[in-house]
Amino acid sequence: MSVAAKNYKLPADFLWGFATAAYQVEGGAQEGGRGPSIWDTFSHTPGKTHNGDTGDVAVDQFHLYKEDVQLLKSYGVKAYRISLSWSRIIPLGGRNDPVNPEGIQYYNNLINELLANGIAPFVTLYHWDLPQGLEDRYKGLLNTEEFALDFENYARVVFGAFGDRVKHWLTFNEPVVVATLGFSIGVFAPGRSSDRSRCQEGDSSTEPWRVGHSILIAHGKAYKVYKEEFKPTQKGVCGITLNGDWPEPYTQTPEDIEAAQRKNEFAISWYADPVYLSGDYPASMRQQLGDRLPYFTKEETALMKGSSDFYGMNHYTANYIKHRKTPAPLDDFIGNVDMTFTSTEGVDLGPECESFWLRPCAWGFRKLLNWIYKRYGYPIYVTENGCSIKGEQNLPVEEAVNDDFRVKYFQDYLDAMLLAIHEDGVVVKGYLGWSFLDNFEWAEGYATRFGVTHVDYKTLVRTPKKSAYAVKKWFEEHIEA
Ligand code: PNW
C-alpha cells in the first residue's frame, strides 16, 4: 500500500516550517552596530569561498524581513527557524562587552512580525558565526573556559530579551561541522588544519576534539541558565541540534556492521551521548582517540547529562560504510571507516545533487530516526532537511522554480518520517525544511541553492518554487484539522 493510501495523520500541534541561519540570509553586515564574525573574516579571505562570495548582503533579510514573513505566511508554515548573529547583539562578544540595542531591536522586530502573522520563531543561538572579537581575544572555541563563560552570558542576554515570546531554543547548530570542517579540514571558518597547503595554522589531531568539548560545556551552561532562570516563567524548551547521515553497512559482515555503528558514534554520539545518555563520550571514540579526546570532570558530567529538552536533528543523506583494516590516521574524525555512495552491486544510494556530499535516500531517514529514538528516547524535532539540485544555479528563474527533483525529495522524506512515526513508534514533534530561501551556502557561496524560494542575487527578488507549495500541500493533507 502506498504511504498516502494509509491515511496516517500528524497531530494538530505538529510544528512545521522552514529554516535559515543569520550569516546565510541576513546581510546588513556593516549595519545596525553589528560587529564582525569569523565568517566575515573567512569569506573575505581570498580563496576561501567559491567566487569570493561573502554574506555582506546575502539575501538581505535584515531589510526585507517583512516581505519574507508574508511569504512564509503564504506557505502556511507554523514555525520559522532563524539564528541570531551573536555579534549583532554583542558586537565584541564577551561577557564584559556592551550589548547593542539596535541588534536587540532588529530581532524584536522580526520575532514580533512572525508572531503577528501566526508563525512561531524557532531560534538558534549559534549557527557558526562566532564574534571575531572572541577569536582575536582568546582563540575563540579553542579556549574552553573563556568561550563557555561568554556563551553563557550571551545566552542569558537573549533568553532575557526574547524568551517571553520565543518558546523553542537551540543552543548550537551542528557542532560536528564546526569542529571538523573548521578545525580539521579547515574549509569553514576559522579555517584551521594540519594541512599546510591550505591553512597556516591548526592541528587536526587535537583541535576538533577540544572545540567539541568547548561547545558541549558552553551548551551545558546555557541550558542550565535557561532551565533555572527562565524556563519556570517562560515555559519554553531548549535543546541542541546535531547533524547525522544514515550509515548503511556496506556488507552484512560483522566488521562493516560495527564500522557503521562506530561512524554513527563519531558523527552523532560524540555530542548526543554526553547530552542525552551518559554525560560522557562514547567508548569507541575514547578507544581510537585516547587522551586527545578531553575528559569531563564530575561536575561537568552532571552538567551534561539531560541538558536538552528534545533531540534536534539535521539530516540530509546516507552513506555506505566499510570497515578499514589499517590503523586510524591522526586526522581521522569519522571512526576510521571508508565511505561510498555505491553498493556492492554498483547501485548508487541516490542521484547526484549540486552538493557533492548529498544523495537523496529517504529510507535512510527512517532508519536514522529509529536509531536515534532507540538510543536516546527523546522527542525529535527535525530542524533541517532538504537538498540542492545539480546545475540549478545555471537555470533562469522560470525554470528554476520547477524544482521537481526537490519536490520528490521532500515528499519521499516526509513520507519516510510519517512511517517512522506511525509504524515504528518514533516520536517526532516538528519538521523544518532547509531552506526557506536560496542563500549563502558557506564555502560554496551562492553557487549551491537549497531554497524552496528562488532568490535572484542581483535584484534580491524572491520567487516561490514548486517545492514550497508541495510541502505546504503535504502538511495540509497530513495534519489533523
Ligand atoms: C548544514 N557536509 O550544513 C547547515 O546547518 C546549513 O547551514 C547548511 O546550509 C545546510 O546544512 C546545507 O549544507 C552542512 O559537508 C554543511 O556534510 C556541510 C555538510 C553537512 C551539513
Side-chain angles (χ1 to χ4, degrees):
M1 201 185 344
S2 74
V3 183
K6 295 185 177 183
N7 206 26
Y8 292 144
K9 293 280 188 274
L10 298 168
D13 64 352
F14 191 88
L15 204 62
W16 75 274
F18 296 104
T20 59
Y23 193 70
Q24 297 182 271
V25 298
E26 231 172 57
Q30 316 266 1
E31 292 175 67
R34 178 183 178 276
S37 80
I38 57 171
W39 265 97
D40 294 279
T41 309
F42 189 75
S43 65
H44 280 272
T45 305
K48 297 298 185 191
T49 64
H50 170 85
N51 199 32
D53 290 347
T54 76
D56 286 1
V57 178
V59 302
D60 203 22
Q61 187 158 88
F62 186 66
H63 293 108
L64 301 176
Y65 71 93
K66 286 192 179 170
E67 182 186 323
D68 283 345
V69 171
Q70 286 315 305
L71 197 54
L72 283 163
K73 193 181 180 185
S74 77
Y75 294 170
V77 305
K78 295 190 177 166
Y80 178 42
R81 178 176 171 224
I82 59 169
S83 80
L84 306 175
S85 157
W86 182 346
S87 62
R88 190 178 288 291
I89 292 171
I90 307 174
L92 289 169
R95 55 199 182 279
N96 298 312
D97 298 321
V99 172
N100 170 31
E102 283 182 83
I104 301 282
Q105 189 59 51
Y106 168 66
Y107 292 114
N108 270 331
N109 293 345
L110 173 56
I111 288 165
N112 292 342
E113 189 73 12
L114 286 165
L115 290 170
N117 286 280
I119 301 168
F122 206 118
V123 178
T124 310
L125 271 60
Y126 190 90
H127 203 123
W128 308 356
D129 45 358
L130 180 79
Q132 182 64 36
L134 302 183
E135 187 70 21
D136 296 342
R137 196 173 285 163
Y138 54 71
K139 288 193 167 182
L141 287 152
L142 289 170
N143 188 328
T144 301
E145 206 175 318
E146 287 295 318
F147 173 75
L149 288 171
D150 283 342
F151 187 78
E152 178 185 17
N153 170 73
Y154 162 56
R156 189 177 281 113
V157 168
V158 305
F159 295 146
F162 312 119
D164 57 332
R165 287 152 292 151
V166 173
K167 301 302 161 194
H168 296 85
W169 295 101
L170 291 165
T171 55
F172 287 88
N173 179 71
E174 302 193 348
V176 165
V177 172
V178 175
T180 60
L181 274 64
F183 293 83
S184 184
I185 320 182
V187 295
F188 279 11
R192 297 176 62 88
S193 172
S194 293
D195 183 345
R196 290 287 167 270
S197 71
R198 248 181 302 113
C199 304
Q200 287 165 1
E201 286 180 41
D203 179 348
S204 305
S205 71
T206 55
E207 290 185 4
W209 316 113
R210 170 51 52 194
V211 165
H213 203 69
S214 301
I215 291 176
L216 279 164
I217 303 288
H219 159 79
K221 282 184 185 289
Y223 179 80
K224 187 166 187 274
V225 165
Y226 188 70
K227 191 177 168 188
E228 292 178 357
E229 300 172 29
F230 297 96
K231 193 174 170 149
T233 52
Q234 298 182 346
K235 304 196 188 320
V237 286
C238 179
I240 187 167
T241 205
L242 309 177
N243 59 300
D245 308 328
W246 171 249
E248 179 71 11
Y250 185 62
T251 69
Q252 287 306 309
T253 59
E255 289 79 15
D256 282 350
I257 291 172
E258 199 191 313
Q261 177 74 7
R262 194 167 61 245
K263 161 72 169 58
N264 238 2
E265 292 179 350
F266 271 72
I268 290 176
S269 311
W270 177 6
Y271 298 93
D273 276 15
V275 169
Y276 301 102
L277 208 58
S278 60
D280 199 3
Y281 296 117
S284 58
M285 294 185 72
R286 181 65 66 197
Q287 198 185 345
Q288 178 177 320
L289 302 168
D291 291 344
R292 287 187 284 134
L293 189 67
Y295 293 88
F296 293 106
T297 64
K298 267 211 185 78
E299 295 73 45
E300 287 168 347
T301 292
L303 185 71
M304 288 299 107
K305 255 184 153 171
S307 61
S308 191
D309 297 325
F310 57 85
Y311 188 101
M313 176 183 185
N314 287 359
H315 177 76
Y316 290 89
T317 191
N319 292 281
Y320 286 113
I321 303 299
K322 292 186 212 180
H323 171 70
R324 234 191 226 171
K325 293 198 184 71
T326 50
L330 276 178
D331 61 356
D332 176 79
F333 56 80
I334 55 172
N336 199 32
V337 300
D338 286 311
M339 304 208 299
T340 169
F341 286 124
T342 314
S343 76
T344 48
E345 290 93 44
V347 180
D348 281 356
L349 277 172
E352 285 183 35
C353 296
E354 184 62 26
S355 315
F356 69 88
W357 50 269
L358 209 178
R359 300 292 180 103
C361 175
W363 55 261
F365 186 29
R366 181 173 177 181
K367 285 195 179 191
L368 190 61
L369 282 162
N370 273 275
W371 189 89
I372 288 169
Y373 194 67
K374 194 166 161 212
R375 185 169 174 123
Y376 301 115
Y378 277 66
I380 296 170
Y381 283 96
V382 178
T383 46
E384 283 181 28
N385 175 236
C387 70
S388 53
I389 306 177
K390 207 166 183 55
E392 184 181 0
Q393 68 277 21
N394 303 318
L395 301 176
V397 56
E398 310 81 62
E399 288 174 43
V401 295
N402 291 321
D403 59 341
D404 297 293
F405 185 90
R406 184 173 288 110
V407 168
K408 178 165 166 48
Y409 180 98
F410 279 123
Q411 286 171 344
D412 289 350
Y413 273 73
L414 287 167
D415 284 349
M417 179 180 78
L418 200 62
L419 292 175
I421 294 170
H422 281 275
E423 299 191 354
D424 311 333
V426 178
V427 176
V428 184
K429 294 174 75 88
Y431 174 94
L432 299 151
W434 186 270
S435 175
F436 169 42
L437 302 156
D438 290 338
N439 61 49
F440 177 75
E441 178 55 15
W442 307 110
E444 293 176 37
Y446 296 100
T448 303
R449 293 171 178 260
F450 273 86
V452 296
T453 310
H454 177 273
V455 178
D456 179 323
Y457 292 119
K458 289 207 178 69
T459 61
L460 297 175
V461 167
R462 281 91 159 117
T463 312
K465 302 180 194 175
K466 253 193 203 172
S467 54
Y469 297 116
V471 173
K472 178 180 196 226
K473 184 159 174 274
W474 192 94
F475 279 101
E476 279 168 0
E477 288 171 357
H478 291 93
I479 291 195
E480 279 164 8

